[in-house]
Amino acid sequence: MPQTNRVIVPLDVPNLTEAIALLDKLPQVNFWKVGLELFVSTGPDILTILKEREKRIFLDLKFHDIPNTIAGACGSATQYGVDLLTLHTTAGRNALKAATKAISDTPSPPKLLAITLLTSLNSRELAFDLKIPLELPEYTLQMAMLAQECGINGAVCSPQEVSQLRRVCGDDFLLVCPGIRPSWSDQGDQRRVMTPSEAMQAGADYLVIGRPITMANDPVAAWGKICEELETVS
Ligand code: C5P
């Protein structure tokens, strides 16, 4: 696969008009992420549009519910031909297995990705609010291992977690990383970032890169620079 097919750009916009404008602005991008904001606004219309344009889809709705509901939601997502779909590991073993089972008999099932711990949570919140008595890296690792045990195909993780997860979960476990900032771009609100080539070298399969491309003065040029950088990674 060309390295540029490993870059996923989020459609972080509030409505269909802005989403279509972004798709038109960046026809070179093959893989788009649809998150809660846009999906709640447009419903599946955005998925239909992406399929019509022969794009790949990362549907990032982070399902978290009882097994029966998770199974139904995953089953419903398959009808739109999405490629990647997220759910929270903390929904539990039965929900993770129900998700895996729900998509297993469909013609082109999406790959399921686990959210181990939202990166907006820090170690203090983990200990004092969530009462989880593990260090944060150990907790995310345990959650990834649980997901893998239940047949989940991969995880969303920060670039800093990639090498350890790759080592523990093996080459077939998909690792998808947001928190990517090329050396020439602003860090914005992302902490603990890596450049595209660093994250790829650390073992990421896919990179989610938003504002360095979408908010650039020249988004097409920004995309081109990232592609060039990634072509240097073996
Ligand atoms: O603009 P930026 O490159 O920061 O966009 C990153 C995308 O990845 C956003 O859609 C953000 O919501 C998402 N994301 C993230 N961190 C996570 C999970 C998802 O930044 N842990």
Side-chain angles (χ1 to χ4, degrees):
M1 173 176 17
Q3 298 288 47
T4 50
N5 282 353
R6 297 176 184 271
V7 179
I8 304 173
V9 179
L11 276 166
D12 285 336
V13 291
N15 57 52
L16 208 51
T17 311
E18 288 186 44
I20 291 171
L22 197 48
L23 294 178
D24 288 343
K25 201 185 285 182
L26 284 161
Q28 304 83 344
V29 176
N30 286 323
F31 212 150
W32 291 92
K33 180 168 92 72
V34 175
L36 279 168
E37 180 186 17
L38 184 60
F39 192 79
V40 169
S41 159
T42 67
D45 288 357
I46 182 61
L47 307 181
T48 308
I49 288 170
L50 286 164
K51 289 311 276 187
E52 280 166 5
R53 294 181 183 218
E54 298 183 353
K55 302 298 182 187
R56 299 180 75 202
I57 304 174
F58 173 8
L59 185 58
D60 185 21
L61 300 183
K62 299 188 176 68
F63 295 148
H64 192 187
D65 217 310
I66 59 171
N68 190 49
T69 306
I70 290 250
C74 290
S76 292
T78 60
Q79 67 186 292
Y80 300 106
V82 307
D83 298 280
L84 300 175
L85 186 61
T86 47
L87 73 172
H88 280 277
T89 316
T90 47
R93 187 182 295 275
N94 290 339
L96 298 174
K97 285 189 176 165
T100 313
K101 186 161 182 291
I103 60 161
S104 61
D105 289 335
T106 58
S108 47
K111 300 284 186 200
L112 296 176
L113 299 177
I115 305 294
T116 54
L117 179 74
L118 294 171
T119 48
S120 51
L121 295 169
N122 60 29
S123 44
R124 207 188 140 72
E125 288 167 293
L126 189 70
F128 292 101
D129 296 341
L130 304 185
K131 312 289 182 204
I132 291 170
L134 290 179
E135 294 296 329
L136 195 148
E138 177 60 20
Y139 178 71
T140 54
L141 187 62
Q142 292 295 332
M143 291 300 101
M145 287 162 64
L146 169 64
Q148 190 174 33
E149 218 180 288
C150 297
I152 302 299
N153 308 101
V156 179
C157 64
S158 83
Q160 277 69 23
E161 293 164 346
V162 168
S163 50
Q164 193 191 21
L165 286 177
R166 177 62 67 224
R167 210 169 36 248
V168 174
C169 298
D171 284 345
D172 293 338
F173 199 62
L174 288 176
L175 296 175
V176 178
C177 285
I180 305 296
R181 289 293 176 267
S183 54
W184 42 265
S185 71
D186 271 354
Q187 199 163 317
D189 57 3
Q190 292 282 14
R191 299 285 168 263
R192 305 187 300 138
V193 297
M194 274 192 195
T195 65
S197 49
E198 283 168 348
M200 219 53 122
Q201 266 152 359
D205 293 293
Y206 291 99
L207 310 177
V208 180
I209 311 179
R211 286 162 292 177
I213 299 169
T214 58
M215 304 298 268
N217 288 336
D218 183 345
V220 174
W223 168 259
K225 266 206 265 187
I226 289 170
C227 294
E228 262 172 46
E229 175 178 335
L230 289 177
E231 290 309 329
T232 65
V233 181
S234 54

